[in-house]
Amino acid sequence: MNKMIFLLFGMILLFISCSDGCQKPNYSLIEIDLNSSPSMKRIKLQDIATIEYITVASDSNFIPSTKQLGVSRDMNYMIAGGEGYEVLLLNRQGTPISKINKEGQGPNEYLYASYYTIHDKKVFIYDGWNGKMHVYDFAGTPLYSFERQDVGDIFIYNDSTFICHNFARNKIKQDYMPYYTIISNRTGEILERIDLPYWGNTPISIGFKERDSAGEEFVISTKHLSLIKGLDGNFIFNELSTDTVYQYSTDGSLKPIIVRKPSVKENNHLFLEFCADTKRYIFFHRTIVDRKNPENLFSSEQWAYDRTEMKIYQAEIIDENFPSRNLNFTPEFMDSPNGYTTLRYRSYHLCEAYKEGKLRGKLEYIASTLNEEDNDVYVLIKFK
């Protein structure tokens, strides 16, 4: 099916108003005014998710460095970035299994591990600099590889495919065309392309251009995910060059779910970044680029749209076992099953909080067993 035709048809249905009482579509487009000043709402993590604390066994040769863990679809294995370009494998209990370090320019080696995940007891590592996916077994033995250029964000879609955010750049005209694809996880072949309407041919990023003392131009920016996992197998398309956030469903349908204002055409220093989806709340960041504030160039507030109240709040998220700590959801850059995410508590923060009597329940017990130099504790979150 042509996704563009489907999308345009869906948007026509969405905006048709019925004066004779006809039934409205079974979804509504949420409008987010990024210039508004919403009130604060405290949300308890345990009210919106079930959680599990993962204590990574301390090992001087096995030190996770990433803020999140990736989780296999069968929930038996986890993956993390280590020192340098190491990729670390753990079991569900946080016990080390193995690590892969194939940094280099030779066969079956990668220059930069920009994405890695576990699926079907295989480790997939995407080298974003060379545009190549490498596949290994748990011992690090190469299985196969394939080339796939112009891939930004990438996640598992099903047992045989990935879903990707892509971009095509014309080197002569310097134009930019973002799109999404479903690709084979065996060959990298594009099986389906999904295009979105967008406002122009200029790349949009959360950043700005500067010049060095020699007059050379460079970009100062922060990472943005244009592809996020939602609930129930859905994916969220948060491409910055359009004002609309879309949901791509498991049945292949595409529909608009959020529209921002002001338009990015009117204000390209103010951004909406989708972070997490629950049955009741949509969490996102309102991010501002402020070149006049070198100490905080990219300031961000965590907002939540309450589906029950149909209202926007500035969100304060609290773990009841660490109530003095305000949690911050970020887009899931590590691949986990839909509806899951992970957060990290630094071990030295937990040790300090334990001494000050700020912890409760199981987290208090875990902290009582830690040293400041131990590996960090991760929180596995399954949204309700």
Side-chain angles (χ1 to χ4, degrees), residues 89-122:
L89 306 182
L90 312 87
N91 66 16
R92 176 68 176 269
Q93 291 70 44
T95 303
I97 296 175
S98 63
K99 62 181 176 181
I100 298 173
N101 189 352
K102 299 289 185 179
E103 182 186 2
Q105 300 188 55
N108 303 307
E109 295 180 334
Y110 51 83
L111 280 177
Y112 179 65
S114 55
Y115 165 85
Y116 35 90
T117 192
I118 306 171
H119 182 61
D120 194 25
K121 293 190 176 181
K122 301 182 183 72

mmCIF file of all heavy atoms in Angstrom, residues 89-122:
data_model
loop_
_atom_site.group_PDB
_atom_site.id
_atom_site.type_symbol
_atom_site.label_atom_id
_atom_site.label_comp_id
_atom_site.label_asym_id
_atom_site.label_seq_id
_atom_site.Cartn_x
_atom_site.Cartn_y
_atom_site.Cartn_z
ATOM 1 N N LEU A 89 27.633 -8.234 27.074
ATOM 2 C CA LEU A 89 26.442 -9.071 27.156
ATOM 3 C C LEU A 89 26.257 -9.543 28.593
ATOM 4 O O LEU A 89 27.209 -9.973 29.253
ATOM 5 C CB LEU A 89 26.570 -10.280 26.230
ATOM 6 C CG LEU A 89 26.902 -9.996 24.765
ATOM 7 C CD1 LEU A 89 26.949 -11.297 23.984
ATOM 8 C CD2 LEU A 89 25.892 -9.057 24.158
ATOM 9 N N LEU A 90 25.024 -9.465 29.084
ATOM 10 C CA LEU A 90 24.691 -9.870 30.444
ATOM 11 C C LEU A 90 23.439 -10.740 30.418
ATOM 12 O O LEU A 90 22.646 -10.673 29.468
ATOM 13 C CB LEU A 90 24.405 -8.655 31.331
ATOM 14 C CG LEU A 90 25.342 -7.461 31.351
ATOM 15 C CD1 LEU A 90 25.022 -6.459 30.270
ATOM 16 C CD2 LEU A 90 25.253 -6.768 32.704
ATOM 17 N N ASN A 91 23.233 -11.506 31.471
ATOM 18 C CA ASN A 91 21.951 -12.181 31.589
ATOM 19 C C ASN A 91 20.976 -11.291 32.347
ATOM 20 O O ASN A 91 21.314 -10.179 32.752
ATOM 21 C CB ASN A 91 22.097 -13.566 32.238
ATOM 22 C CG ASN A 91 22.541 -13.497 33.698
ATOM 23 O OD1 ASN A 91 22.481 -12.452 34.355
ATOM 24 N ND2 ASN A 91 23.002 -14.622 34.215
ATOM 25 N N ARG A 92 19.764 -11.772 32.525
ATOM 26 C CA ARG A 92 18.701 -10.962 33.130
ATOM 27 C C ARG A 92 19.045 -10.544 34.558
ATOM 28 O O ARG A 92 18.584 -9.516 35.055
ATOM 29 C CB ARG A 92 17.399 -11.767 33.100
ATOM 30 C CG ARG A 92 16.202 -11.130 33.782
ATOM 31 C CD ARG A 92 15.704 -9.892 33.038
ATOM 32 N NE ARG A 92 14.507 -9.367 33.672
ATOM 33 C CZ ARG A 92 13.263 -9.718 33.357
ATOM 34 N NH1 ARG A 92 13.058 -10.624 32.409
ATOM 35 N NH2 ARG A 92 12.233 -9.183 33.959
ATOM 36 N N GLN A 93 19.883 -11.324 35.230
ATOM 37 C CA GLN A 93 20.252 -11.019 36.611
ATOM 38 C C GLN A 93 21.425 -10.036 36.709
ATOM 39 O O GLN A 93 21.835 -9.665 37.802
ATOM 40 C CB GLN A 93 20.602 -12.304 37.357
ATOM 41 C CG GLN A 93 19.413 -13.233 37.605
ATOM 42 C CD GLN A 93 18.883 -13.889 36.342
ATOM 43 O OE1 GLN A 93 19.662 -14.363 35.503
ATOM 44 N NE2 GLN A 93 17.577 -13.911 36.180
ATOM 45 N N GLY A 94 21.980 -9.615 35.558
ATOM 46 C CA GLY A 94 23.102 -8.677 35.566
ATOM 47 C C GLY A 94 24.454 -9.354 35.623
ATOM 48 O O GLY A 94 25.477 -8.689 35.838
ATOM 49 N N THR A 95 24.511 -10.687 35.429
ATOM 50 C CA THR A 95 25.772 -11.421 35.447
ATOM 51 C C THR A 95 26.430 -11.353 34.064
ATOM 52 O O THR A 95 25.769 -11.607 33.058
ATOM 53 C CB THR A 95 25.538 -12.893 35.815
ATOM 54 O OG1 THR A 95 24.877 -12.949 37.084
ATOM 55 C CG2 THR A 95 26.856 -13.654 35.895
ATOM 56 N N PRO A 96 27.714 -10.994 33.986
ATOM 57 C CA PRO A 96 28.387 -10.910 32.685
ATOM 58 C C PRO A 96 28.397 -12.260 31.959
ATOM 59 O O PRO A 96 28.596 -13.313 32.573
ATOM 60 C CB PRO A 96 29.810 -10.478 33.057
ATOM 61 C CG PRO A 96 29.673 -9.806 34.391
ATOM 62 C CD PRO A 96 28.586 -10.544 35.094
ATOM 63 N N ILE A 97 28.183 -12.205 30.646
ATOM 64 C CA ILE A 97 28.271 -13.393 29.787
ATOM 65 C C ILE A 97 29.527 -13.320 28.930
ATOM 66 O O ILE A 97 30.355 -14.223 28.932
ATOM 67 C CB ILE A 97 27.019 -13.517 28.892
ATOM 68 C CG1 ILE A 97 25.771 -13.728 29.739
ATOM 69 C CG2 ILE A 97 27.187 -14.655 27.887
ATOM 70 C CD1 ILE A 97 24.488 -13.745 28.931
ATOM 71 N N SER A 98 29.679 -12.223 28.205
ATOM 72 C CA SER A 98 30.842 -12.055 27.337
ATOM 73 C C SER A 98 30.913 -10.607 26.884
ATOM 74 O O SER A 98 29.997 -9.814 27.137
ATOM 75 C CB SER A 98 30.756 -12.983 26.109
ATOM 76 O OG SER A 98 29.624 -12.647 25.313
ATOM 77 N N LYS A 99 31.999 -10.258 26.225
ATOM 78 C CA LYS A 99 32.092 -8.935 25.618
ATOM 79 C C LYS A 99 32.714 -9.065 24.238
ATOM 80 O O LYS A 99 33.528 -9.953 23.976
ATOM 81 C CB LYS A 99 32.888 -7.969 26.489
ATOM 82 C CG LYS A 99 34.331 -8.323 26.742
ATOM 83 C CD LYS A 99 34.966 -7.261 27.638
ATOM 84 C CE LYS A 99 36.397 -7.602 28.015
ATOM 85 N NZ LYS A 99 36.991 -6.575 28.904
ATOM 86 N N ILE A 100 32.281 -8.154 23.360
ATOM 87 C CA ILE A 100 32.763 -8.141 21.976
ATOM 88 C C ILE A 100 33.501 -6.832 21.755
ATOM 89 O O ILE A 100 32.970 -5.757 22.038
ATOM 90 C CB ILE A 100 31.598 -8.285 20.984
ATOM 91 C CG1 ILE A 100 30.897 -9.643 21.190
ATOM 92 C CG2 ILE A 100 32.078 -8.142 19.552
ATOM 93 C CD1 ILE A 100 29.639 -9.801 20.373
ATOM 94 N N ASN A 101 34.726 -6.930 21.280
ATOM 95 C CA ASN A 101 35.503 -5.741 20.956
ATOM 96 C C ASN A 101 36.206 -5.987 19.636
ATOM 97 O O ASN A 101 37.274 -6.581 19.574
ATOM 98 C CB ASN A 101 36.523 -5.431 22.053
ATOM 99 C CG ASN A 101 37.194 -4.086 21.850
ATOM 100 O OD1 ASN A 101 37.008 -3.440 20.810
ATOM 101 N ND2 ASN A 101 37.974 -3.644 22.815
ATOM 102 N N LYS A 102 35.558 -5.556 18.568
ATOM 103 C CA LYS A 102 36.079 -5.775 17.211
ATOM 104 C C LYS A 102 36.417 -4.446 16.545
ATOM 105 O O LYS A 102 36.250 -4.279 15.342
ATOM 106 C CB LYS A 102 35.042 -6.530 16.370
ATOM 107 C CG LYS A 102 34.674 -7.907 16.910
ATOM 108 C CD LYS A 102 35.812 -8.902 16.734
ATOM 109 C CE LYS A 102 35.395 -10.298 17.169
ATOM 110 N NZ LYS A 102 36.472 -11.279 16.979
ATOM 111 N N GLU A 103 36.867 -3.484 17.350
ATOM 112 C CA GLU A 103 37.202 -2.178 16.792
ATOM 113 C C GLU A 103 38.364 -2.310 15.811
ATOM 114 O O GLU A 103 39.368 -2.967 16.087
ATOM 115 C CB GLU A 103 37.568 -1.203 17.900
ATOM 116 C CG GLU A 103 37.894 0.193 17.387
ATOM 117 C CD GLU A 103 38.396 1.104 18.489
ATOM 118 O OE1 GLU A 103 38.536 0.644 19.638
ATOM 119 O OE2 GLU A 103 38.672 2.289 18.172
ATOM 120 N N GLY A 104 38.223 -1.692 14.643
ATOM 121 C CA GLY A 104 39.277 -1.739 13.637
ATOM 122 C C GLY A 104 38.714 -1.548 12.248
ATOM 123 O O GLY A 104 37.517 -1.301 12.064
ATOM 124 N N GLN A 105 39.560 -1.667 11.265
ATOM 125 C CA GLN A 105 39.146 -1.465 9.876
ATOM 126 C C GLN A 105 39.306 -2.736 9.035
ATOM 127 O O GLN A 105 39.178 -2.699 7.823
ATOM 128 C CB GLN A 105 39.962 -0.328 9.246
ATOM 129 C CG GLN A 105 39.791 0.998 9.966
ATOM 130 C CD GLN A 105 40.439 2.154 9.232
ATOM 131 O OE1 GLN A 105 40.157 2.388 8.059
ATOM 132 N NE2 GLN A 105 41.315 2.879 9.919
ATOM 133 N N GLY A 106 39.574 -3.840 9.696
ATOM 134 C CA GLY A 106 39.723 -5.092 8.980
ATOM 135 C C GLY A 106 38.390 -5.774 8.757
ATOM 136 O O GLY A 106 37.323 -5.268 9.129
ATOM 137 N N PRO A 107 38.415 -6.959 8.141
ATOM 138 C CA PRO A 107 37.179 -7.727 7.932
ATOM 139 C C PRO A 107 36.504 -8.028 9.267
ATOM 140 O O PRO A 107 37.164 -8.350 10.253
ATOM 141 C CB PRO A 107 37.679 -9.013 7.265
ATOM 142 C CG PRO A 107 39.004 -8.652 6.663
ATOM 143 C CD PRO A 107 39.606 -7.624 7.579
ATOM 144 N N ASN A 108 35.192 -7.888 9.283
ATOM 145 C CA ASN A 108 34.379 -8.185 10.475
ATOM 146 C C ASN A 108 34.690 -7.276 11.660
ATOM 147 O O ASN A 108 34.400 -7.620 12.806
ATOM 148 C CB ASN A 108 34.550 -9.645 10.890
ATOM 149 C CG ASN A 108 34.203 -10.616 9.782
ATOM 150 O OD1 ASN A 108 33.125 -10.541 9.203
ATOM 151 N ND2 ASN A 108 35.130 -11.503 9.463
ATOM 152 N N GLU A 109 35.261 -6.105 11.388
ATOM 153 C CA GLU A 109 35.542 -5.123 12.427
ATOM 154 C C GLU A 109 34.738 -3.853 12.179
ATOM 155 O O GLU A 109 34.299 -3.580 11.050
ATOM 156 C CB GLU A 109 37.038 -4.800 12.480
ATOM 157 C CG GLU A 109 37.898 -5.981 12.905
ATOM 158 C CD GLU A 109 39.372 -5.630 12.946
ATOM 159 O OE1 GLU A 109 39.791 -4.705 12.215
ATOM 160 O OE2 GLU A 109 40.113 -6.291 13.704
ATOM 161 N N TYR A 110 34.554 -3.068 13.224
ATOM 162 C CA TYR A 110 33.788 -1.833 13.111
ATOM 163 C C TYR A 110 34.601 -0.668 13.669
ATOM 164 O O TYR A 110 35.393 -0.817 14.596
ATOM 165 C CB TYR A 110 32.452 -1.956 13.849
ATOM 166 C CG TYR A 110 32.549 -2.443 15.281
ATOM 167 C CD1 TYR A 110 32.838 -1.573 16.331
ATOM 168 C CD2 TYR A 110 32.354 -3.788 15.590
ATOM 169 C CE1 TYR A 110 32.923 -2.018 17.643
ATOM 170 C CE2 TYR A 110 32.434 -4.247 16.900
ATOM 171 C CZ TYR A 110 32.726 -3.360 17.918
ATOM 172 O OH TYR A 110 32.812 -3.816 19.215
ATOM 173 N N LEU A 111 34.379 0.513 13.083
ATOM 174 C CA LEU A 111 35.038 1.720 13.559
ATOM 175 C C LEU A 111 34.257 2.367 14.701
ATOM 176 O O LEU A 111 34.831 2.952 15.610
ATOM 177 C CB LEU A 111 35.191 2.732 12.421
ATOM 178 C CG LEU A 111 36.356 2.498 11.452
ATOM 179 C CD1 LEU A 111 36.310 3.537 10.343
ATOM 180 C CD2 LEU A 111 37.690 2.586 12.194
ATOM 181 N N TYR A 112 32.933 2.261 14.634
ATOM 182 C CA TYR A 112 32.097 2.922 15.637
ATOM 183 C C TYR A 112 30.816 2.119 15.824
ATOM 184 O O TYR A 112 30.065 1.907 14.862
ATOM 185 C CB TYR A 112 31.771 4.353 15.203
ATOM 186 C CG TYR A 112 30.898 5.108 16.176
ATOM 187 C CD1 TYR A 112 31.350 5.415 17.455
ATOM 188 C CD2 TYR A 112 29.618 5.517 15.812
ATOM 189 C CE1 TYR A 112 30.552 6.104 18.354
ATOM 190 C CE2 TYR A 112 28.808 6.213 16.703
ATOM 191 C CZ TYR A 112 29.286 6.500 17.972
ATOM 192 O OH TYR A 112 28.499 7.177 18.864
ATOM 193 N N ALA A 113 30.548 1.670 17.025
ATOM 194 C CA ALA A 113 29.331 0.906 17.320
ATOM 195 C C ALA A 113 28.204 1.879 17.641
ATOM 196 O O ALA A 113 27.961 2.213 18.796
ATOM 197 C CB ALA A 113 29.577 -0.049 18.482
ATOM 198 N N SER A 114 27.518 2.348 16.610
ATOM 199 C CA SER A 114 26.471 3.344 16.819
ATOM 200 C C SER A 114 25.147 2.710 17.237
ATOM 201 O O SER A 114 24.259 3.393 17.736
ATOM 202 C CB SER A 114 26.270 4.176 15.550
ATOM 203 O OG SER A 114 26.014 3.354 14.434
ATOM 204 N N TYR A 115 24.989 1.417 17.013
ATOM 205 C CA TYR A 115 23.786 0.694 17.427
ATOM 206 C C TYR A 115 24.170 -0.756 17.672
ATOM 207 O O TYR A 115 24.976 -1.331 16.943
ATOM 208 C CB TYR A 115 22.709 0.765 16.338
ATOM 209 C CG TYR A 115 21.583 -0.229 16.514
ATOM 210 C CD1 TYR A 115 20.492 0.047 17.332
ATOM 211 C CD2 TYR A 115 21.607 -1.457 15.857
ATOM 212 C CE1 TYR A 115 19.467 -0.868 17.508
ATOM 213 C CE2 TYR A 115 20.574 -2.377 16.019
ATOM 214 C CZ TYR A 115 19.510 -2.078 16.844
ATOM 215 O OH TYR A 115 18.495 -2.984 17.009
ATOM 216 N N TYR A 116 23.608 -1.334 18.722
ATOM 217 C CA TYR A 116 23.845 -2.759 18.959
ATOM 218 C C TYR A 116 22.654 -3.336 19.706
ATOM 219 O O TYR A 116 22.013 -2.676 20.526
ATOM 220 C CB TYR A 116 25.136 -3.008 19.744
ATOM 221 C CG TYR A 116 25.480 -1.984 20.785
ATOM 222 C CD1 TYR A 116 25.025 -2.103 22.098
ATOM 223 C CD2 TYR A 116 26.263 -0.876 20.456
ATOM 224 C CE1 TYR A 116 25.349 -1.157 23.054
ATOM 225 C CE2 TYR A 116 26.582 0.080 21.414
ATOM 226 C CZ TYR A 116 26.115 -0.073 22.717
ATOM 227 O OH TYR A 116 26.420 0.870 23.661
ATOM 228 N N THR A 117 22.345 -4.586 19.389
ATOM 229 C CA THR A 117 21.216 -5.238 20.019
ATOM 230 C C THR A 117 21.416 -6.744 19.987
ATOM 231 O O THR A 117 22.293 -7.263 19.292
ATOM 232 C CB THR A 117 19.892 -4.871 19.308
ATOM 233 O OG1 THR A 117 18.786 -5.283 20.106
ATOM 234 C CG2 THR A 117 19.792 -5.523 17.940
ATOM 235 N N ILE A 118 20.589 -7.445 20.765
ATOM 236 C CA ILE A 118 20.587 -8.907 20.791
ATOM 237 C C ILE A 118 19.267 -9.398 20.220
ATOM 238 O O ILE A 118 18.198 -8.900 20.584
ATOM 239 C CB ILE A 118 20.717 -9.444 22.230
ATOM 240 C CG1 ILE A 118 21.941 -8.872 22.934
ATOM 241 C CG2 ILE A 118 20.775 -10.966 22.236
ATOM 242 C CD1 ILE A 118 21.996 -9.209 24.416
ATOM 243 N N HIS A 119 19.346 -10.378 19.336
ATOM 244 C CA HIS A 119 18.130 -10.997 18.814
ATOM 245 C C HIS A 119 18.448 -12.412 18.364
ATOM 246 O O HIS A 119 19.417 -12.633 17.623
ATOM 247 C CB HIS A 119 17.556 -10.188 17.646
ATOM 248 C CG HIS A 119 16.282 -10.774 17.103
ATOM 249 N ND1 HIS A 119 15.157 -10.920 17.871
ATOM 250 C CD2 HIS A 119 15.979 -11.275 15.874
ATOM 251 C CE1 HIS A 119 14.193 -11.455 17.137
ATOM 252 N NE2 HIS A 119 14.679 -11.697 15.930
ATOM 253 N N ASP A 120 17.627 -13.354 18.798
ATOM 254 C CA ASP A 120 17.777 -14.754 18.396
ATOM 255 C C ASP A 120 19.201 -15.254 18.676
ATOM 256 O O ASP A 120 19.797 -15.954 17.864
ATOM 257 C CB ASP A 120 17.430 -14.906 16.908
ATOM 258 C CG ASP A 120 17.227 -16.352 16.498
ATOM 259 O OD1 ASP A 120 16.886 -17.170 17.365
ATOM 260 O OD2 ASP A 120 17.432 -16.662 15.308
ATOM 261 N N LYS A 121 19.724 -14.861 19.845
ATOM 262 C CA LYS A 121 21.070 -15.240 20.295
ATOM 263 C C LYS A 121 22.157 -14.812 19.318
ATOM 264 O O LYS A 121 23.204 -15.442 19.195
ATOM 265 C CB LYS A 121 21.143 -16.747 20.561
ATOM 266 C CG LYS A 121 20.285 -17.170 21.756
ATOM 267 C CD LYS A 121 20.542 -18.600 22.155
ATOM 268 C CE LYS A 121 19.731 -18.949 23.413
ATOM 269 N NZ LYS A 121 19.954 -20.340 23.859
ATOM 270 N N LYS A 122 21.897 -13.706 18.643
ATOM 271 C CA LYS A 122 22.893 -13.057 17.791
ATOM 272 C C LYS A 122 23.078 -11.622 18.273
ATOM 273 O O LYS A 122 22.143 -10.999 18.795
ATOM 274 C CB LYS A 122 22.470 -13.053 16.319
ATOM 275 C CG LYS A 122 22.238 -14.418 15.695
ATOM 276 C CD LYS A 122 21.872 -14.251 14.226
ATOM 277 C CE LYS A 122 21.547 -15.574 13.558
ATOM 278 N NZ LYS A 122 20.235 -16.097 14.028
#
